[in-house]
Amino acid sequence: MKAAVINRKIGRPEFVEIPVPEIGDGEILYKPMACGVCGSDVIDWNVAGPGTFGHEPAGYVVKTGKGVTGVKEGDRVFIHHRVPCLTCHYCRRGHFTMCPDYKEYGFDPSAYAEYTRVKARHVRTDVIHLPDHIPFEVGCLIEPMATMWRLMNRAGIRGGDTVLIMGAGALGLSAVQVAQRLGAAMVISSDFNEWKLQYARELGADLAIDRSQCSEQEAAERIRAANQGRLPDVVVVIPPQISALQEGIRLTGKGGRVSQFGPTGPGDLLTIDPNEFFFKEITYASSYSSSPLETKEVAELIFRGKLKVQHLITHHFRLEQIMEALALKKEAEHSLKVIVHPHPDEYFGSTPKGPKP
Ligand SMILES: [Zn+2]
Ligand SMILES: [Zn+2]
């Protein structure tokens, strides 16, 4: 079968032909029909190190191992690539992504593959059945949407808040919708890319700021003008850059919360002015990934059409075109969610549908 995996010797992805994996007790053989390309799949240090390459799949259960309950052959499911143990100190405090078992990648060899083995703990803990009306490519969006749900909850969003979301890619646009659902009175989207901001406006962002056309100071003035003279109550920083975090902190209003989502590189340092943090009572909350709580919550909302994900999908690629898909994601200019199809002929006919680069 075909698969894309990380070559650990060179720390880069490669396309390989390998045997279909064998499964053991409690495991399943899974056939990803669609897999979303995550921004983290194109962060070099992450791919070479702690990252999980190919982790937003939706597909069919092909075979179940001894003792598997709850899923059967032929089921259409989303499976989360990382799951907590549910019994350790962190899990019992609800801090699932800090669980020591959490980082274990559930797929072998990867979700960018024609078939993949799913480990028993993952089969037990975070599998969600897709209703018939939900296409696989929409099922893929459960994972990234769940990360935004957790992020916004970690930021302590409250009804009536003004929320600034920095970054208007697929995640930022998901965050716009999550903030709206959680009761934000005003949602502001900022990005350096006008093409993406157009999507934010369509999703109902109250203000969309093109930072390529104005300075940070001007952005702050526009926010104040639209927000009764105040800076936002919550600032969410999606891009994994220190400069973005620094700007996010400066744009956070009094009593506000700033929330980091993008993983900055190990050793990157952020300078803060504690005097400002103190007198403005700013809270800094990072949010890493998501847990079975959030996947369940957002799946229900996606299934009922309360979170719109289909129109965030801009590109489709066959599995063999994985390098093109990654390059497009990395360039990040005119793409939002990029989907890779391990079985495009079965899914679409002879070619993937939708715009191609
Ligand atoms: Zn992801
Ligand atoms: Zn645990």
Side-chain angles (χ1 to χ4, degrees), residues 264-317:
T264 43
D268 285 356
L269 294 180
L270 174 69
T271 310
I272 62 157
D273 174 354
N275 178 279
E276 191 190 352
F277 260 61
F278 180 82
F279 283 108
K280 281 174 77 177
E281 286 200 335
I282 290 175
T283 304
Y284 191 99
S286 57
S287 183
Y288 162 61
S289 205
S290 64
S291 77
L293 286 187
E294 292 90 20
T295 52
K296 181 68 178 157
E297 287 170 352
V298 301
E300 294 299 332
L301 292 164
I302 290 171
F303 298 164
R304 286 163 206 280
K306 312 281 185 196
L307 291 170
K308 310 248 175 284
V309 296
Q310 179 91 58
H311 64 283
L312 300 180
I313 300 170
T314 56
H315 293 79
H316 298 267
F317 289 91

Side-chain angles (χ1 to χ4, degrees), residues 229-261:
R230 300 191 309 268
L231 287 172
D233 303 297
V234 174
V235 176
V236 167
V237 184
I238 313 261
Q241 279 103 31
I242 293 294
S243 56
L245 281 171
Q246 215 98 51
E247 175 166 329
I249 290 168
R250 286 191 294 262
L251 291 178
T252 303
K254 290 178 188 166
R257 285 88 69 202
V258 57
S259 200
Q260 174 184 358
F261 184 76

Side-chain angles (χ1 to χ4, degrees), residues 136-193:
F136 289 118
E137 63 206 65
V138 168
C140 291
L141 274 288
I142 293 174
E143 192 272 344
M145 193 59 97
T147 63
M148 292 298 102
W149 194 261
R150 177 177 163 81
L151 170 71
M152 222 56 90
N153 281 310
R154 294 263 309 144
I157 194 167
R158 292 200 296 243
D161 274 347
T162 293
V163 180
L164 166 64
I165 294 154
M166 294 173 57
L171 285 173
L173 296 170
S174 299
V176 166
Q177 299 184 62
V178 169
Q180 289 165 335
R181 284 229 75 87
L182 291 174
M186 182 173 186
V187 179
I188 304 162
S189 173
S190 78
D191 201 290
F192 286 79
N193 182 316

Side-chain angles (χ1 to χ4, degrees), residues 38-40 55-56 143-144:
C38 180
S40 69
H55 62 245
E56 302 177 2
E143 192 272 344

Side-chain angles (χ1 to χ4, degrees), residues 55-78:
H55 62 245
E56 302 177 2
Y60 289 113
V61 175
V62 177
K63 200 160 127 192
T64 55
K66 214 162 98 197
V68 168
T69 55
V71 286
K72 59 179 189 322
E73 194 183 315
D75 284 358
R76 302 170 74 250
V77 293
F78 157 86

Side-chain angles (χ1 to χ4, degrees), residues 84-88 90-91 99-101:
C85 77
L86 306 178
T87 57
C88 75
Y90 300 102
C91 285
C99 171
D101 291 347

